[in-house]
Amino acid sequence: MSLNRHTRRVLRGALWALAAAHLAEAVVLRRRRERLAALYDPGTPHDIADKLGLLSATGVDVDAATRTAAAAEMELDGVEVVDLVPGDLPAERALRLLRRVNPDQLTEDLTYSPGGAHEALALHPSLVERMRVDPREQADDRHAMVRRTVKAQRYAPTTAVLRVAPHLQASPYGPLDRWRELEGVTAAGRPFVSLSPVIVGAQVAQLAALAAGVVLAPTAALAALAAWSAKPALVFGTGTPPTPGTEPGTEPEPDGGAALRPPDVVPASLLRFPRLLADALGTAVAGRRETLAAKERRLAEPQLASPPADRLFHARRDDCPWCGATDIAGRIDVPDLFQHKPGRFHLDECRGCGHVFQNPQLTPAGLDYYYADFYEGIGEETWELVFAGGMRHNGNRLDAIDRVATPARWLDVGAGHGHFCLAARQRFPEVRFEGVDMSETVREAQRRGRVDVAHVGLFIELAEELPRTYDVVSMHHYLEHTLDPKPELAAAAKVLAPGGHLMIEVPDPATPWARRLGRFWYYWVQPQHLHFVRCEELVQHLETEGFEVVQVARAEATLGFDLTGPTLLRLQHFARSPHMPWLPLPTLGLRLKRLAMTVAGAPLLLATVTADLVMGALPTDGRVGNAYRVVARKPEVESAEVGSAEVGSAEVDAGG
């Protein structure tokens, strides 16, 4: 009986906490709603109104007044994207929009691309050209509209806005639309986990908990239910929705300056429980149908074929590719822990210089196979999220250059989608940024305005034609991917102007975590990473080539998450993702195994994230992180003497 009382006490406490959380969220969402402005139709035509790009969901008709108002916003405020929120957007969808999008952050955060209302987008004509979209395109479904919205926000960081369009009417929206929208919003997790059923399941679980609570702890449960049900009214108010002005030059005047006032606030509050229960169940049914249809399509599609075994690898070598010594020993064998493609990859270590390298090394055909869908395809959104979260690291890299140079022309090697150059432009707005990458992603970076010039191909080949006038050449987590690091360094020296700076950042094989975690050290990233150069060896090589090493940073350059990354890899290795299209469809046993892994792994992940954040906040003196950074200066005048500088002359940052 005492246990029963204790359980009821815990349940009551949880329900009261839930009630408080709903009220707190209502306050946050109301503030966001108050920051959301309406478009104002000035009543006079604008030159670009008829030239705007209009991307919309099926059934949305963007009227002339809305086009004119969007054009006025663009001309007055330099806006490139106006995400149009229909004036009659239903309350529940409006709540989801406010949860997903912070209007202020949308215009301040360079990497914030949360999606939007997913009804219609007005695009500046110049952006239509850069995005290469049909200026009057309608999305096939809600998932496509999500992806177009996110793409537009990435093309227009800080110049995309969310605005209520009073004349615009919302398109029909059913359970299938809800499911497809969820799939689009959660695309970053898709290679490893499908979050759509998790979100729908959490909604059903909350409703079930509220219903059960009424029986077990009625007072607390009713309080939680009341706070949750009242949220539409608390966020939007219960007055009459503002009527849009019908005459040119008039604008809606919503109460309290808030533009978004759904027409169904009262029923959305009074009938919230049955309405959302029906919505969740309908979405679950639609999602199940979609999942079965996707399964049928996957069975019908050809599988990604692996090259023949004799074309995957070069012959095994007996010497170190860095120093040439023959005293090498096996370090570790690692499977593909990220994509779960077949194969095991052997890493050797040189006993002389400490260089760790893949042996035998993948051939170009093997690399093409294992790179497929890693940074692009189904893996693209995951890495977009990872790189977007690296702005603090980019700031540290920019600090390193800021201390020693005032650049005018910068070449970023291995630029990818240009996330680093996006950050660098804010620090050095007058610099001309160019990017090099093997992939077409660097052309995408140019279209997004992150680099001024894109070069596609092998850097060591492109270097023959590139100008010799770069003040800075940066290589962030690039050398470890190359077939041979030394020619890459020679190519960088070739294109640098005299007195220019070379900045290199790579994983540090000397970190204790590489030994402690074995094959689950996150930064082995097999089979993409081919070489791991020790910091001391890289410094010595650069000095031998005539560079002056001016900075060496170890703990400051660390990417962190030494525990969280390996934990994720272990969990995925224990029960692989069912979403990789080259793997067999999951059995019931695998699905149950993944469910158990998710339940058991959630607290562990929370603990590792906390531990990593604590470690990241500790002093860095004397530590070796999971990466290191070297900044070296090319001599003003070419000299025949090499190796004159000493390692001890380098400025050592944070644990170097």
Side-chain angles (χ1 to χ4, degrees), residues 40-45 65 68 167 244-251:
Y40 167 53
D41 181 2
T44 57
T68 299
H167 298 276
T246 55
E247 297 297 326
T250 62
E251 61 176 323

Side-chain angles (χ1 to χ4, degrees), residues 558-582:
T558 188
L559 298 177
F561 293 98
D562 292 294
L563 296 176
T564 305
T567 301
L568 285 169
L569 290 182
R570 283 181 178 273
L571 292 174
Q572 285 291 333
H573 183 65
F574 173 73
R576 62 167 176 77
S577 168
H579 305 295
M580 305 293 183
W582 44 84

Side-chain angles (χ1 to χ4, degrees), residues 344-431:
R344 293 183 71 82
F345 311 95
H346 179 75
L347 296 176
D348 276 332
E349 182 173 11
C350 175
R351 289 186 171 130
C353 68
H355 187 72
V356 179
F357 58 101
Q358 190 182 88
N359 193 22
Q361 184 173 286
L362 285 170
T363 62
L367 287 169
D368 287 344
Y369 171 70
Y370 286 106
Y371 267 98
D373 281 305
F374 194 80
Y375 292 110
E376 299 177 72
I378 65 171
E380 182 173 347
E381 280 304 305
T382 303
W383 286 103
E384 278 277 2
L385 184 66
V386 171
F387 292 139
M391 297 303 279
R392 180 177 66 84
H393 301 297
N394 288 333
N396 290 337
R397 294 161 181 163
L398 294 170
D399 289 342
I401 291 297
D402 220 357
R403 289 193 286 265
V404 297
T406 304
R409 191 169 187 178
W410 191 314
L411 180 68
D412 188 39
V413 184
H417 283 99
H419 291 84
F420 170 74
C421 293
L422 174 64
R425 278 194 181 282
Q426 314 313 306
R427 181 77 65 92
F428 303 107
E430 303 301 321
V431 171

